[in-house]
Amino acid sequence: MAGAVLVTGGAGYIGSHACVALIESGHEVVVLDNFCNSHPEAIRRIEEICGVAPVTIQGDIRDRALLDELFSAHNIESVMHFAGLKAVGESVEMPLAYYENNVAGTLTLLQAMDSAALSSIVFSSSATVYGDPASVPINEHFPLAPTSPYGWTKQMLEQVLTDWQRVDDTRRVALLRYFNPAGAHPSGRMGEDPQGPPNNLVPFVAQVAVGKRDKLRVFGDDYPTPDGTGVRDYIHVLDLVDGHVVALDYLQTHPGLHTFNLGTGSGVSVLEMVQAFAAASGRDIPYEVVDRRAGDIAECWADASRARDLLNWEANRDLAQMCEDTWRWQQGNPGGYR
Ligand code: NAD
Ligand code: UFG
């Protein structure tokens, strides 16, 4: 029987949805998570949805001894690597914590994979590696120019993985550059569970709709976009994780290093998101326009044709579904997993 997939960060927002997608497509899953930004209840919800609990190890990707033990105790065949810190603003305040956790942590993971002779990894990169793009849509050949320590960890790790793959042509690496993940599992049982005030638009809007926050602050309406507010490529988390499952399959037959944008290919403004969420929830979303947020770009959306052509993957869930699923999760779990 084929070996299991190690999912690092499998209790997190995207990792937990990936566990469900992997289990539903017949994979055995082992989760490694230190729960620094997640809750064990997420694992219980995976079991609730799938009827099977992933083997779960509480621990850190920087713990080499633990990784060696894990690889010898479990028949792991490949790794989906989500574990990492992801808050852009926090990374500016605490760069060393980000380089230590994300970069050093991934180096330790790769060293342990080497020792265990594992050769296949799917890595969570981000559209943030493109920085402020010269034009949209953004394809995979655009220059990389991250603007935060968080973004630099992603670019550095792309380079590390590129060099690691070059050593041995049987190694397999997928670098998946996510645009803006949003939405939740349609069951309403699994979703994004930010600690403290959300940094990201969709969870913030959801908390306004449910009455947990009184209004949204729209960061600027003087961008050179149709309504003046920032435009992003929001992708349903279920489409995103489907992209991971097909990328993992692709690696089976295509050794080498493969980079894919995972986005929908179209942009949505802040005000369009507010409108869509109000429609999905039937609630008012009060907002006020405030100054631009430092470091924000005007617009960003993907040219996702490479993933379509090579992986036969496309995002097919629309904005309404993204908002409906987020709303179901938010209403049913106003305090998240806690
Ligand atoms: P998340 O914080 O919900 O999940 C990350 C998980 O990793 C958490 O469960 C956390 O406890 C765990 N973790 C962190 N450091 C760890 C360590 N050293 N050892 C073990 N576990 C550790 O974040 P997410 O939104 O699910 O993001 C997953 C990945 O996707 C991250 O690498 C993130 O940078 C990347 N990404 C996210 C977005 C986004 O907007 N959510 C966009 C682009 C890329
Ligand atoms: N926005 C608001 N008010 C808020 C939050 C966001 O107006 O309270 C606006 C932003 O200005 C931006 C849009 O909503 O125009 C989206 O903002 P998010 O913070 O949701 O997303 P970003 O595109 O800024 O950042 C996301 C991830 C980063 C990643 C980046 C690039 O959070 O980790 O995409 O991929 F680096």
Side-chain angles (χ1 to χ4, degrees), residues 3 15 36-37 39 41 54 63 65 92 100 103 106 126 133 140 202 212 231 256 270 278 288 302 329-330 338:
C36 70
N37 194 39
H39 196 279
E41 176 64 14
D63 184 342
V92 176
E100 160 69 22
V103 180
T106 304
S126 168
E140 290 85 352
V202 175
K212 206 167 157 180
V231 170
V270 175
E288 71 171 323
W329 155 253
Q330 178 66 65
R338 282 158 185 82

mmCIF file of all heavy atoms in Angstrom, residues 3 15 36-37 39 41 54 63 65 92 100 103 106 126 133 140 202 212 231 256 270 278 288 302 329-330 338:
data_model
loop_
_atom_site.group_PDB
_atom_site.id
_atom_site.type_symbol
_atom_site.label_atom_id
_atom_site.label_comp_id
_atom_site.label_asym_id
_atom_site.label_seq_id
_atom_site.Cartn_x
_atom_site.Cartn_y
_atom_site.Cartn_z
ATOM 1 N N GLY A 3 2.403 4.850 0.826
ATOM 2 C CA GLY A 3 2.664 5.428 2.132
ATOM 3 C C GLY A 3 1.770 6.618 2.407
ATOM 4 O O GLY A 3 0.995 7.066 1.554
ATOM 5 N N GLY A 15 -4.234 23.720 6.100
ATOM 6 C CA GLY A 15 -3.810 22.334 6.342
ATOM 7 C C GLY A 15 -4.970 21.432 6.741
ATOM 8 O O GLY A 15 -5.042 20.272 6.301
ATOM 9 N N CYS A 36 0.726 26.275 17.537
ATOM 10 C CA CYS A 36 1.044 27.659 17.926
ATOM 11 C C CYS A 36 0.016 28.623 17.358
ATOM 12 O O CYS A 36 -0.144 29.723 17.860
ATOM 13 C CB CYS A 36 2.464 28.048 17.517
ATOM 14 S SG CYS A 36 2.684 28.223 15.742
ATOM 15 N N ASN A 37 -0.676 28.208 16.279
ATOM 16 C CA ASN A 37 -1.716 29.088 15.734
ATOM 17 C C ASN A 37 -2.957 28.276 15.360
ATOM 18 O O ASN A 37 -3.630 28.569 14.383
ATOM 19 C CB ASN A 37 -1.179 29.847 14.505
ATOM 20 C CG ASN A 37 -2.073 31.011 14.119
ATOM 21 O OD1 ASN A 37 -2.603 31.709 14.991
ATOM 22 N ND2 ASN A 37 -2.265 31.225 12.837
ATOM 23 N N HIS A 39 -5.839 24.835 16.943
ATOM 24 C CA HIS A 39 -6.419 24.187 18.117
ATOM 25 C C HIS A 39 -6.656 22.704 17.784
ATOM 26 O O HIS A 39 -7.100 22.391 16.668
ATOM 27 C CB HIS A 39 -7.746 24.882 18.453
ATOM 28 C CG HIS A 39 -8.256 24.574 19.814
ATOM 29 N ND1 HIS A 39 -8.939 23.412 20.096
ATOM 30 C CD2 HIS A 39 -8.167 25.260 20.966
ATOM 31 C CE1 HIS A 39 -9.260 23.406 21.382
ATOM 32 N NE2 HIS A 39 -8.799 24.510 21.933
ATOM 33 N N GLU A 41 -8.988 20.927 18.394
ATOM 34 C CA GLU A 41 -10.371 20.673 17.974
ATOM 35 C C GLU A 41 -10.475 20.562 16.445
ATOM 36 O O GLU A 41 -11.351 19.847 15.927
ATOM 37 C CB GLU A 41 -11.279 21.804 18.510
ATOM 38 C CG GLU A 41 -12.737 21.746 18.076
ATOM 39 C CD GLU A 41 -13.513 20.505 18.574
ATOM 40 O OE1 GLU A 41 -13.032 19.796 19.481
ATOM 41 O OE2 GLU A 41 -14.601 20.254 18.018
ATOM 42 N N PRO A 54 -6.847 11.694 11.397
ATOM 43 C CA PRO A 54 -5.450 11.543 11.005
ATOM 44 C C PRO A 54 -4.600 11.267 12.243
ATOM 45 O O PRO A 54 -4.898 11.797 13.321
ATOM 46 C CB PRO A 54 -5.088 12.899 10.399
ATOM 47 C CG PRO A 54 -6.118 13.856 10.887
ATOM 48 C CD PRO A 54 -7.339 13.080 11.265
ATOM 49 N N ASP A 63 12.209 20.391 15.393
ATOM 50 C CA ASP A 63 12.680 19.349 16.312
ATOM 51 C C ASP A 63 13.159 18.142 15.493
ATOM 52 O O ASP A 63 12.378 17.275 15.116
ATOM 53 C CB ASP A 63 11.517 18.972 17.249
ATOM 54 C CG ASP A 63 11.916 17.971 18.317
ATOM 55 O OD1 ASP A 63 12.960 17.299 18.167
ATOM 56 O OD2 ASP A 63 11.147 17.843 19.293
ATOM 57 N N ALA A 65 15.023 15.545 16.194
ATOM 58 C CA ALA A 65 14.890 14.193 16.770
ATOM 59 C C ALA A 65 13.460 13.685 16.595
ATOM 60 O O ALA A 65 13.231 12.517 16.242
ATOM 61 C CB ALA A 65 15.286 14.214 18.245
ATOM 62 N N VAL A 92 7.300 41.933 10.267
ATOM 63 C CA VAL A 92 8.112 43.156 10.242
ATOM 64 C C VAL A 92 8.613 43.463 11.654
ATOM 65 O O VAL A 92 9.756 43.887 11.852
ATOM 66 C CB VAL A 92 7.285 44.341 9.683
ATOM 67 C CG1 VAL A 92 8.065 45.644 9.745
ATOM 68 C CG2 VAL A 92 6.836 44.047 8.252
ATOM 69 N N GLU A 100 13.489 32.109 11.753
ATOM 70 C CA GLU A 100 13.757 30.907 12.558
ATOM 71 C C GLU A 100 12.684 29.837 12.310
ATOM 72 O O GLU A 100 12.980 28.688 12.001
ATOM 73 C CB GLU A 100 13.795 31.327 14.048
ATOM 74 C CG GLU A 100 13.602 30.231 15.078
ATOM 75 C CD GLU A 100 14.758 29.251 15.146
ATOM 76 O OE1 GLU A 100 15.872 29.618 14.722
ATOM 77 O OE2 GLU A 100 14.522 28.129 15.610
ATOM 78 N N VAL A 103 12.162 29.483 7.908
ATOM 79 C CA VAL A 103 13.333 29.062 7.123
ATOM 80 C C VAL A 103 14.079 27.946 7.852
ATOM 81 O O VAL A 103 14.259 26.850 7.311
ATOM 82 C CB VAL A 103 14.272 30.257 6.818
ATOM 83 C CG1 VAL A 103 15.474 29.769 6.012
ATOM 84 C CG2 VAL A 103 13.517 31.332 6.043
ATOM 85 N N THR A 106 12.065 24.750 8.000
ATOM 86 C CA THR A 106 11.995 23.985 6.746
ATOM 87 C C THR A 106 13.335 23.303 6.448
ATOM 88 O O THR A 106 13.364 22.184 5.911
ATOM 89 C CB THR A 106 11.538 24.895 5.588
ATOM 90 O OG1 THR A 106 10.281 25.484 5.954
ATOM 91 C CG2 THR A 106 11.384 24.125 4.287
ATOM 92 N N SER A 126 3.440 31.746 -1.672
ATOM 93 C CA SER A 126 2.420 32.789 -1.619
ATOM 94 C C SER A 126 2.630 33.765 -2.756
ATOM 95 O O SER A 126 3.775 34.017 -3.175
ATOM 96 C CB SER A 126 2.547 33.528 -0.288
ATOM 97 O OG SER A 126 1.782 34.711 -0.307
ATOM 98 N N PRO A 133 3.299 43.888 -8.268
ATOM 99 C CA PRO A 133 3.573 43.468 -9.648
ATOM 100 C C PRO A 133 3.478 44.646 -10.625
ATOM 101 O O PRO A 133 2.682 45.563 -10.415
ATOM 102 C CB PRO A 133 2.469 42.444 -9.923
ATOM 103 C CG PRO A 133 1.339 42.857 -9.032
ATOM 104 C CD PRO A 133 1.962 43.436 -7.799
ATOM 105 N N GLU A 140 3.783 32.922 -13.529
ATOM 106 C CA GLU A 140 4.867 32.371 -12.716
ATOM 107 C C GLU A 140 6.232 32.906 -13.113
ATOM 108 O O GLU A 140 7.209 32.725 -12.375
ATOM 109 C CB GLU A 140 4.883 30.831 -12.794
ATOM 110 C CG GLU A 140 3.704 30.146 -12.096
ATOM 111 C CD GLU A 140 2.451 30.030 -12.966
ATOM 112 O OE1 GLU A 140 2.422 30.619 -14.080
ATOM 113 O OE2 GLU A 140 1.497 29.343 -12.531
ATOM 114 N N VAL A 202 -11.601 38.831 4.690
ATOM 115 C CA VAL A 202 -12.809 37.993 4.775
ATOM 116 C C VAL A 202 -13.150 37.618 6.228
ATOM 117 O O VAL A 202 -14.299 37.795 6.647
ATOM 118 C CB VAL A 202 -12.705 36.773 3.831
ATOM 119 C CG1 VAL A 202 -13.891 35.840 4.018
ATOM 120 C CG2 VAL A 202 -12.615 37.261 2.383
ATOM 121 N N LYS A 212 -19.583 40.630 16.061
ATOM 122 C CA LYS A 212 -18.444 40.579 16.971
ATOM 123 C C LYS A 212 -17.597 41.857 16.879
ATOM 124 O O LYS A 212 -16.902 42.223 17.824
ATOM 125 C CB LYS A 212 -17.598 39.363 16.565
ATOM 126 C CG LYS A 212 -16.784 38.772 17.667
ATOM 127 C CD LYS A 212 -16.250 37.409 17.232
ATOM 128 C CE LYS A 212 -15.024 37.036 18.036
ATOM 129 N NZ LYS A 212 -14.493 35.736 17.636
ATOM 130 N N VAL A 231 -7.894 45.366 -4.908
ATOM 131 C CA VAL A 231 -8.457 44.216 -5.639
ATOM 132 C C VAL A 231 -7.555 42.999 -5.446
ATOM 133 O O VAL A 231 -6.340 43.089 -5.588
ATOM 134 C CB VAL A 231 -8.599 44.558 -7.143
ATOM 135 C CG1 VAL A 231 -8.951 43.327 -7.957
ATOM 136 C CG2 VAL A 231 -9.649 45.647 -7.333
ATOM 137 N N GLY A 256 11.084 16.517 -10.501
ATOM 138 C CA GLY A 256 11.558 17.856 -10.860
ATOM 139 C C GLY A 256 10.895 18.898 -9.985
ATOM 140 O O GLY A 256 10.232 18.566 -8.997
ATOM 141 N N VAL A 270 -12.517 45.343 -2.413
ATOM 142 C CA VAL A 270 -12.975 45.286 -1.017
ATOM 143 C C VAL A 270 -14.487 45.544 -0.962
ATOM 144 O O VAL A 270 -15.225 44.814 -0.284
ATOM 145 C CB VAL A 270 -12.216 46.312 -0.141
ATOM 146 C CG1 VAL A 270 -12.777 46.336 1.275
ATOM 147 C CG2 VAL A 270 -10.717 46.010 -0.132
ATOM 148 N N ALA A 278 -22.621 40.661 2.437
ATOM 149 C CA ALA A 278 -23.915 41.131 2.938
ATOM 150 C C ALA A 278 -25.036 40.302 2.309
ATOM 151 O O ALA A 278 -25.984 39.886 2.988
ATOM 152 C CB ALA A 278 -24.088 42.615 2.623
ATOM 153 N N GLU A 288 -16.194 51.977 7.287
ATOM 154 C CA GLU A 288 -15.726 53.343 7.050
ATOM 155 C C GLU A 288 -14.418 53.255 6.292
ATOM 156 O O GLU A 288 -13.629 52.311 6.481
ATOM 157 C CB GLU A 288 -15.541 54.110 8.372
ATOM 158 C CG GLU A 288 -14.375 53.642 9.194
ATOM 159 C CD GLU A 288 -14.062 54.541 10.392
ATOM 160 O OE1 GLU A 288 -14.183 55.768 10.273
ATOM 161 O OE2 GLU A 288 -13.671 53.984 11.439
ATOM 162 N N ALA A 302 -4.221 36.335 -10.351
ATOM 163 C CA ALA A 302 -3.368 35.311 -10.949
ATOM 164 C C ALA A 302 -3.667 35.082 -12.417
ATOM 165 O O ALA A 302 -4.819 35.133 -12.845
ATOM 166 C CB ALA A 302 -3.580 33.988 -10.216
ATOM 167 N N TRP A 329 -19.825 28.854 8.698
ATOM 168 C CA TRP A 329 -18.789 28.568 9.702
ATOM 169 C C TRP A 329 -18.807 29.630 10.813
ATOM 170 O O TRP A 329 -18.788 29.312 11.996
ATOM 171 C CB TRP A 329 -17.420 28.514 9.005
ATOM 172 C CG TRP A 329 -16.245 28.814 9.876
ATOM 173 C CD1 TRP A 329 -15.492 29.957 9.863
ATOM 174 C CD2 TRP A 329 -15.674 27.982 10.902
ATOM 175 N NE1 TRP A 329 -14.493 29.888 10.801
ATOM 176 C CE2 TRP A 329 -14.585 28.682 11.453
ATOM 177 C CE3 TRP A 329 -15.985 26.718 11.395
ATOM 178 C CZ2 TRP A 329 -13.802 28.172 12.477
ATOM 179 C CZ3 TRP A 329 -15.193 26.202 12.424
ATOM 180 C CH2 TRP A 329 -14.126 26.921 12.955
ATOM 181 N N GLN A 330 -18.869 30.893 10.423
ATOM 182 C CA GLN A 330 -18.821 31.991 11.403
ATOM 183 C C GLN A 330 -20.038 31.942 12.338
ATOM 184 O O GLN A 330 -19.906 32.088 13.548
ATOM 185 C CB GLN A 330 -18.786 33.334 10.650
ATOM 186 C CG GLN A 330 -18.774 34.552 11.551
ATOM 187 C CD GLN A 330 -17.490 34.654 12.361
ATOM 188 O OE1 GLN A 330 -16.424 34.832 11.819
ATOM 189 N NE2 GLN A 330 -17.582 34.518 13.675
ATOM 190 N N ARG A 338 -12.564 27.365 19.949
ATOM 191 C CA ARG A 338 -12.416 27.371 21.415
ATOM 192 C C ARG A 338 -13.748 27.401 22.134
ATOM 193 O O ARG A 338 -14.679 27.971 21.692
ATOM 194 C CB ARG A 338 -11.546 28.560 21.844
ATOM 195 C CG ARG A 338 -10.093 28.249 21.588
ATOM 196 C CD ARG A 338 -9.234 29.503 21.479
ATOM 197 N NE ARG A 338 -7.881 29.115 21.116
ATOM 198 C CZ ARG A 338 -7.491 28.846 19.869
ATOM 199 N NH1 ARG A 338 -8.353 28.940 18.871
ATOM 200 N NH2 ARG A 338 -6.250 28.472 19.608
#
